Amino acid sequence: MGDNVASLGLLADAATSVRRFVDVFIFVYILLIFAYVLTSWIRLPYSPTLTRLQRFLYDVCDPYLRIFRRILPPLGPLDVSPIVAVITLVVIREALDALIERVL
């Protein structure tokens, strides 16, 4: 009986750790998308550091956003793919949280 309680405690601890990791990962990725959008709107002065930062944001965010750009029709100059991408991340986070809660 004690082994079952210890196993359930370890499972709950592991599930909580996974849930926290997923939540933080998605939160940070949403922040990166937000920074990517902001740097695409604002003309930054030339600086090697800012150029590297913009390149990093492009390399990290653009492959994910490209998925939605292929699906969504362009709305003139407005790119709605970041909005849909963030909403998708939030939905995925909620689904994973619900799945982890179900396991517990």
Side-chain angles (χ1 to χ4, degrees):
M1 175 107 161
D3 288 338
N4 288 338
V5 172
S7 295
L8 287 176
L10 286 174
L11 179 63
D13 188 40
T16 301
S17 295
V18 168
R19 183 178 184 181
R20 281 190 197 139
F21 174 79
V22 168
D23 288 348
V24 169
F25 180 81
I26 290 177
F27 177 72
V28 169
Y29 201 72
I30 289 171
L31 288 178
L32 289 173
I33 291 172
F34 183 67
Y36 174 78
V37 169
L38 283 179
T39 58
S40 72
W41 287 349
I42 300 169
R43 186 81 171 148
L44 298 174
Y46 176 76
S47 163
T49 305
L50 290 176
T51 302
R52 277 189 233 117
L53 175 66
Q54 282 182 313
R55 186 68 192 165
F56 169 77
L57 291 172
Y58 176 83
D59 290 344
V60 169
C61 297
D62 201 59
Y64 177 63
L65 294 176
R66 221 176 300 132
I67 295 168
F68 299 99
R69 288 183 183 135
R70 273 188 250 138
I71 297 169
L72 299 170
L75 297 173
L78 185 63
D79 182 14
V80 294
S81 61
I83 297 167
V84 176
V86 167
I87 291 170
T88 303
L89 285 173
V90 170
V91 168
I92 289 170
R93 187 193 73 211
E94 292 298 321
L96 287 174
D97 284 350
L99 182 64
I100 291 170
E101 282 296 320
R102 185 179 294 175
V103 168
L104 297 177

